[in-house]
Amino acid sequence: MRAFTYERATSAQGAAAAAAAHPGAKFIAGGTNLLDLMKLQIETPTHLIDVNHLGLDRIEPTEEGGLRIGAHVRNTDLAADKRVRKDYAVLSRALLSGASGQLRNKATTAGNLLQRTRCPYFYDTAKPCNKRQPGSGCSAIGGFSRNHAILGVSDACIATQPSDMAVAMRVLDATVETIDPDGASRTIAIADFHTLPGDTPHIETVLGANELITAVTLPAPVGGKHVYRKVRDRASYAFANVSVAAVIGDGFQRFAFGGLAHKPWRVEAAEKADGAAAVADIVLDGARTTPLNAFKSVLTRRTLNAVLREEHA
Ligand code: SF4
């Protein structure tokens, strides 16, 4: 691990301003992903800004009837919140399907959205990786790509976004709130928050360099049955091969998918289709697979089918 300096921020704007004052700085809250990356020298921040003490650890109702989740609410607390369990059950289920109990106790809402891919080549500093070192090449294309993306991929990167929580946030139409060093805040629809790899896979979100996430807001509940079905290589603790977040109510259905792309994948046009096969045909349109991950197309169809069967059970 490289040497770095540390400070504890006391306000959200102060944290963003500290980042602007220290080129190469990073925010740290739970640190469940960042510290691993620092030990491997994949992330080498010059300065860490501890944002754990900003009072962003509350879940509050909004005037619109939704919930405002502070950026540093721990994943365990969010999953267990009675309002989340009752009105946004897909979110609670997605959170509980991710990581381990110990990690969920530390991991935060904002950090979960910002966690980096688990592509093994990204973590292997002996191998080319455009995400880790732009322009160096992609070892996964033509390499071991079993758990890589099939939608929205580029010739530069086929990595997936690993968050389960983000997939549920996408199906719930969440918005992300941020603050910059000047104190200006903005809201970003979760649909626009994560980016596709294109020619710049090292850029994963639309956040500015010194912009700090302060909250994630859920709109008023839409009701319906909530399902989060995750298929993975081992039941105890693994990232998704494919996951489906579904909210199905009277006259509407919504689906978002994990494990398929560089961002939670949702195709609203597919939600008007009737039956799993018709929905999957639209969702998977344009899929680009490798011999090792072609199974994900079939698995997506089967998982969606299982979700719809569960809904009608
Ligand atoms: Fe790197 Fe992306 Fe290729 Fe993985 S898929 S090796 S993260 S460029």
Side-chain angles (χ1 to χ4, degrees):
M1 192 182 276
R2 300 251 179 97
F4 56 88
T5 50
Y6 168 91
E7 74 176 273
R8 181 179 284 189
T10 54
S11 73
Q13 184 185 349
H22 293 85
K26 283 269 176 193
F27 303 119
I28 186 163
T32 55
N33 192 205
L34 180 59
L35 290 177
D36 284 346
L37 292 165
M38 287 173 66
K39 287 177 198 165
L40 293 166
Q41 298 195 8
I42 294 165
E43 296 271 15
T44 53
T46 55
H47 186 66
L48 281 188
I49 303 161
D50 183 342
V51 291
N52 280 298
H53 305 277
L54 308 182
L56 301 176
D57 55 357
R58 288 185 285 276
I59 304 172
E60 296 164 325
T62 66
E63 285 179 9
E64 294 75 29
L67 282 183
R68 186 171 186 274
I69 303 158
H72 306 136
V73 172
R74 306 289 151 170
N75 288 179
T76 296
D77 297 332
L78 184 56
D81 185 274
K82 281 187 183 150
R83 297 159 293 185
V84 173
R85 291 177 61 188
K86 175 173 168 286
D87 293 326
Y88 306 96
V90 65
L91 176 58
S92 184
R93 289 175 188 156
L95 282 160
L96 292 174
S97 78
S100 64
Q102 291 94 330
L103 285 167
R104 291 193 296 269
N105 287 344
K106 287 296 289 179
T108 63
T109 305
N112 193 320
L113 286 179
L114 295 174
Q115 65 179 295
R116 310 215 52 198
T117 187
R118 264 55 179 196
C119 170
Y121 301 108
F122 177 67
Y123 289 81
D124 182 349
T125 53
K127 296 283 187 342
C129 169
N130 286 323
K131 186 182 282 295
R132 177 169 28 78
Q133 194 180 350
S136 63
C138 172
S139 298
I141 297 174
F144 186 68
S145 55
R146 181 175 182 277
N147 217 9
H148 286 72
I150 63 170
L151 290 164
V153 297
S154 73
D155 291 336
C157 180
I158 57 171
T160 55
Q161 214 284 333
S163 169
D164 292 292
M165 186 196 79
V167 181
M169 296 286 197
R170 179 69 182 91
V171 88
L172 293 170
D173 284 331
T175 52
V176 180
E177 295 177 22
T178 69
I179 191 165
D180 74 9
D182 297 325
S185 57
R186 67 167 174 154
T187 57
I188 305 162
I190 191 81
D192 302 326
F193 183 76
H194 294 100
T195 54
L196 290 177
D199 294 332
T200 54
H202 58 292
I203 299 172
E204 296 168 348
T205 72
V206 297
L207 284 180
N210 307 312
E211 199 172 3
L212 177 73
I213 297 175
T214 51
V216 176
T217 299
L218 301 176
V222 294
K225 180 162 181 177
H226 291 215
V227 179
Y228 190 75
R229 184 174 279 248
K230 176 176 178 178
V231 183
R232 48 187 157 175
D233 285 341
R234 56 178 180 177
S236 63
Y237 176 16
F239 294 94
N241 302 124
V242 170
S243 68
V244 179
V247 179
I248 302 169
D250 230 5
F252 74 91
Q253 56 182 0
R254 296 181 182 183
F255 305 105
F257 299 82
L260 299 182
H262 205 250
K263 61 190 290 182
W265 198 257
R266 183 175 173 195
V267 183
E268 273 89 342
E271 295 167 6
K272 296 182 178 62
D274 195 14
V279 172
D281 281 347
I282 299 171
V283 169
L284 294 169
D285 186 35
R288 195 172 103 187
T289 61
T290 70
L292 290 178
N293 71 10
F295 77 95
K296 285 195 175 192
S297 294
V298 181
L299 189 58
T300 301
R301 291 178 180 280
R302 290 183 179 166
T303 310
L304 188 58
N305 202 30
V307 165
L308 288 172
R309 277 211 318 270
E310 184 177 334
E311 205 283 318
H312 295 299

